[in-house]
Amino acid sequence: MAQPVVRTVAPDKAVTVGEPFRIQFVVENSNSNQRFSAPNLSGLKIIRGPEVYSGSQFIKDKKTAITNYVYTVVANKMGTYKINTGSVKLKGLIFYGNEFLITAVKKEKLILSGERVDYSGYQLMPGEDPYRKIAENLFLKIITDKQTCFVGEPIVATFKLFSRLQSKSDIVKNPGFYGFSIYDMISLENKVKETEKLNGKIFDVHTIRKVQLYPITAGQFTIDEMKIENKVEFSKSTVSKKTEQEISEGVLHQENNEVLPSESEIYETHLTTKPVFINVKPLPIKNKPLDFNGAAGNFTIRATVEKNELNKNEEGLFIIKVEGKGNFTQITAPKIQWPGEVEGFEPSVTDNLDKRNIPLSGSRIFRYPFISAKPGKWKLPSIKFSFFNISTNSYRNISTDSFFVNISINEFKKKNFINTTASENKISIEAANKKASRIAFALVALLVIGIVGYLLIKEKKNKFQVDDILIKKNLPLVDEIFETINSEENNISDTFYSRLNQNTWSCLTQLYNLTGTEMNKRNIAEKMKQSGNTNQLIDSTLNLLTQIESASFTKIDTDENRMELFEKIKSVLKEIKC
């Protein structure tokens, strides 16, 4: 059995009178039968200890058991303090450590001499518990500006990582924001970092994510946890090194060929925020306008036409602009009662929003194309808009001016048209006959396929009659909810995935009558199982929900997979039995 070795570890520079510091007695080759005797600490006041930590470390490439006895002490006056030897008794033998001298001076003198004791977060003292050190110097917080609000009133949630260590952190789970429209203010790629003093220690503070959350409905909702995995590097030798932190998403477990210093070790741990409960109060019923669509804040509205004079069948633009502060994400396109002589079309939507302001400020612009084939002077109607002003706790009704558009008798002709000759458009009789033969053949083939398909459907109809009824009732609901993000303008906007996530959950909550904290994937899976949905359909639904959430949080995608994901979730929702 190897003999115990006792070492005394204490500050090797002057300490400050009245400020705590640590003295450690490290026993290498420790044994469960040993008995440790602390020395006389020569007038130093013990304020905590001994704290005993057991573990192991590699000494000269050999794994060695160690026990660390830690005292937190303070010097009440200036002077030199002699730390006598600590000792270990084992099987009748006594093993002594080394003596040590400590000098205590006043703080002013310490500053003038330039001697500042810096316990670097990069150094792991012999016998020091690494996981305790990590817990004290690396943690994750969620901070919300409020936990009670009205529907449509913003909640600001900020996720911060506090660190004094040499660490690499990986976001492995982003929080869910079910029941909220989301607008990101700060993300990981912004690399926002500052310093903050907590309990006398200076921390590097990294803002991982900052979002504005706009509640969609009343109830109690949960901001669930963010999870981060960490690799923390410690050195066993005294190193003058400023600690650094690296934060990423989804890369911690990738292959890393980095070579560590010989005296360094890596420890892995994970951090998780606690769920935060948000109580959302309903907006008042009294004086609620009939056309109210959920807008909360303070807004103005105005309308213009791009051109007052148009030719017959020339496209015009009717432009509506909503400006102000509030939950722009909930403002939908106003319905326009077009005059009978004018044909209007669905608008495009453009947002100009300042994400630095709380609530969001800026404008949302709706551009409605229209045409008229009848000459005359036609009136485009006044547009009404209502919102709830949270600061005054009241509803407001505002409206635009009406406009007249003059449609002339002149026919609109497109420029740069191609004037083809009759000979270029003429189709030979022979070619026409061939085309007719192909069409006839195709019609016969389609007729045969149709008859076979009809017989197969008829055969299955009785077997799955109940399922068909359950599925059919989903169709109008899904189409209605997803209609708001089916335009090209929305498909290329930054809010596409957050709106897709919001509409998907809106559909699921209506299908299964869910409210508040019932809006989670575990509950959805249970409801689908109870309703007789297949395991395959349940898995597909949950996987798609995860994909949408991930895309919403990370904002990583390609233009081609947006509509594919859109159509998949829409198709799955139509198949669900409820």
Side-chain angles (χ1 to χ4, degrees):
M1 179 170 52
Q3 292 184 348
V5 175
V6 183
R7 291 189 297 109
T8 303
V9 180
D12 57 0
K13 294 183 179 181
V15 300
T16 304
V17 171
E19 291 188 2
F21 61 95
R22 303 172 84 187
I23 298 176
Q24 304 175 69
F25 300 95
V26 182
V27 181
E28 299 173 1
N29 300 318
S30 63
N31 187 287
S32 58
N33 295 320
Q34 70 188 25
R35 293 184 60 187
F36 172 73
S37 296
N40 182 350
L41 295 181
S42 302
L44 295 173
K45 182 181 178 180
I46 299 175
I47 59 176
R48 190 169 66 189
E51 297 172 277
V52 183
Y53 305 102
S54 297
S56 61
Q57 67 182 54
F58 283 90
I59 299 175
K60 296 181 180 179
D61 297 326
K62 182 179 179 182
K63 190 173 183 180
T64 305
I66 63 170
T67 302
N68 191 9
Y69 302 88
V70 182
Y71 292 83
T72 302
V73 299
V74 65
N76 289 324
K77 58 182 181 179
M78 294 175 58
T80 300
Y81 297 81
K82 181 180 179 182
I83 308 302
N84 295 319
T85 59
S87 63
V88 168
K89 186 175 183 180
L90 179 63
K91 293 188 175 181
L93 299 176
I94 299 178
F95 303 90
Y96 294 94
N98 54 304
E99 294 182 344
F100 211 94
L101 295 177
I102 291 178
T103 302
V105 298
K106 289 185 177 180
K107 188 173 185 178
E108 295 80 5
K109 185 176 180 181
L110 193 66
I111 293 173
L112 290 172
S113 68
E115 293 186 21
R116 282 190 174 276
V117 182
D118 178 25
Y119 294 103
S120 172
Y122 187 57
Q123 184 180 356
L124 188 66
M125 302 298 288
E128 188 174 11
D129 184 347
Y131 293 103
R132 175 172 177 171
K133 186 165 186 174
I134 292 172
E136 293 176 347
N137 294 282
L138 181 68
F139 47 88
L140 182 65
K141 282 187 176 183
I142 174 175
I143 303 164
T144 56
D145 64 339
K146 61 176 79 75
Q147 289 184 249
T148 300
C149 64
F150 283 106
V151 172
E153 181 181 2
I155 298 266
V156 179
T158 309
F159 295 83
K160 292 185 174 183
L161 180 69
F162 292 72
S163 179
R164 300 181 71 247
L165 305 178
Q166 181 80 11
S167 63
K168 292 184 178 180
S169 301
D170 184 22
I171 303 170
V172 295
K173 181 187 181 299
N174 264 294
F177 301 110
Y178 311 119
F180 298 93
S181 293
I182 311 163
Y183 199 90
D184 277 285
M185 301 177 69
I186 296 174
S187 61
L188 189 62
E189 62 189 21
N190 297 125
K191 300 185 183 301
V192 175
K193 176 185 172 182
E194 54 193 355
T195 59
E196 189 172 329
K197 191 172 184 179
L198 287 177
N199 301 322
K201 297 178 180 179
I202 300 297
F203 284 82
D204 290 330
V205 182
H206 304 262
T207 300
I208 297 175
R209 194 173 184 196
K210 185 176 183 179
V211 294
Q212 289 188 51
L213 304 175
Y214 290 88
I216 301 168
T217 59
Q220 188 180 68
F221 299 90
T222 305
I223 302 174
D224 62 15
E225 69 275 3
M226 172 183 279
K227 185 175 181 180
I228 294 180
E229 292 185 355
N230 310 282
K231 288 184 176 181
V232 180
E233 180 182 334
F234 288 121
S235 174
K236 293 181 290 185
S237 60
T238 303
V239 178
S240 178
K241 173 181 170 62
K242 179 175 173 58
T243 57
E244 298 177 349
Q245 298 86 41
E246 179 183 326
I247 308 173
S248 54
E249 188 165 6
V251 301
L252 189 66
H253 297 293
Q254 293 181 5
E255 186 176 350
N256 187 356
N257 296 322
E258 182 182 357
V259 179
L260 293 174
S262 59
E263 291 294 313
S264 295
E265 293 178 339
I266 295 291
Y267 294 87
E268 296 187 5
T269 184
H270 72 269
L271 303 171
T272 306
T273 60
K274 293 181 180 179
V276 175
F277 298 98
I278 305 295
N279 182 37
V280 181
K281 299 181 291 185
L283 296 178
I285 300 298
K286 186 179 180 181
N287 300 325
K288 184 177 182 179
L290 294 176
D291 63 342
F292 179 70
N293 66 357
N298 194 10
F299 303 97
T300 61
I301 187 171
R302 60 191 179 95
T304 58
V305 288
E306 189 177 51
K307 292 171 63 177
N308 290 317
E309 303 284 342
L310 297 170
N311 291 325
K312 187 169 63 172
N313 290 322
E314 180 182 0
E315 184 181 280
L317 273 181
F318 186 36
I319 303 168
I320 298 173
K321 186 175 185 179
V322 179
E323 293 182 284
K325 293 183 177 182
N327 61 338
F328 279 93
T329 53
Q330 291 297 104
I331 297 176
T332 57
K335 298 294 183 184
I336 298 178
Q337 299 298 320
W338 299 97
E341 300 81 6
V342 175
E343 182 180 3
F345 303 96
E346 288 299 311
S348 63
V349 184
T350 303
D351 285 337
N352 296 300
L353 303 175
D354 190 341
K355 67 181 181 180
R356 296 168 298 178
N357 290 335
I358 304 168
L360 294 173
S361 66
S363 65
R364 173 165 282 189
I365 302 172
F366 304 93
R367 292 181 172 86
Y368 296 79
F370 67 90
I371 60 171
S372 177
K374 295 183 179 181
K377 186 176 182 180
W378 312 122
K379 182 180 181 179
L380 301 184
S382 169
I383 304 301
K384 295 180 179 179
F385 178 71
S386 62
F387 62 90
F388 182 75
N389 190 322
I390 293 173
S391 61
T392 62
N393 199 28
S394 62
Y395 292 97
R396 282 203 61 194
N397 295 289
I398 55 178
S399 59
T400 69
D401 295 329
S402 56
F403 290 88
F404 287 91
V405 177
N406 291 314
I407 307 298
S408 74
I409 60 174
N410 299 322
E411 184 76 28
F412 176 70
K413 295 181 180 180
K414 293 183 178 180
K415 297 180 181 180
N416 300 324
F417 64 92
I418 299 174
N419 185 18
T420 57
T421 64
S423 60
E424 290 173 323
N425 291 329
K426 186 177 180 181
I427 302 175
S428 67
I429 296 175
E430 181 181 356
N433 288 337
K434 289 182 179 179
K435 185 175 181 180
S437 298
R438 290 196 298 270
I439 292 172
F441 178 79
L443 289 173
V444 171
L446 287 172
L447 181 62
V448 172
I449 293 171
I451 293 171
V452 173
Y454 172 76
L455 293 175
L456 290 173
I457 292 171
K458 187 175 180 181
E459 181 181 349
K460 293 182 178 179
K461 187 173 182 180
N462 292 333
K463 182 177 179 180
F464 298 107
Q465 187 174 9
V466 176
D467 287 356
D468 288 344
I469 293 171
L470 290 169
I471 292 170
K472 285 177 182 176
K473 85 173 192 177
N474 294 2
L475 302 182
L477 172 65
V478 175
D479 288 333
E480 180 182 348
I481 290 177
F482 279 76
E483 183 181 3
T484 60
I485 55 172
N486 201 18
S487 68
E488 182 180 351
E489 181 72 25
N490 283 319
N491 293 341
I492 63 173
S493 72
D494 292 337
T495 61
F496 175 83
Y497 285 114
S498 62
R499 298 184 72 181
L500 181 60
N501 189 40
Q502 171 191 330
N503 288 17
T504 301
W505 276 101
S506 177
C507 188
L508 287 168
T509 52
Q510 291 186 53
L511 288 174
Y512 288 112
N513 297 318
L514 303 177
T515 58
T517 54
E518 295 177 330
M519 296 167 61
N520 59 74
K521 285 185 280 191
R522 182 182 298 176
N523 201 29
I524 288 294
E526 186 62 31
K527 293 284 186 183
M528 290 180 67
K529 188 173 182 180
Q530 292 173 2
S531 299
N533 291 281
T534 64
N535 289 335
Q536 183 179 358
L537 184 59
I538 294 172
D539 290 342
S540 296
T541 305
L542 298 181
N543 287 337
L544 287 170
L545 281 171
T546 301
Q547 287 183 50
I548 294 170
E549 290 170 8
S550 177
S552 175
F553 298 142
T554 62
K555 299 188 180 299
I556 298 174
D557 80 323
T558 61
D559 291 337
E560 60 188 8
N561 69 12
R562 288 190 170 200
M563 288 311 298
E564 181 181 351
L565 190 58
F566 175 86
E567 293 298 339
K568 280 182 179 180
I569 191 64
K570 195 173 174 183
S571 174
V572 165
L573 291 172
K574 288 181 178 181
E575 293 180 29
I576 289 176
K577 291 186 285 185
C578 54

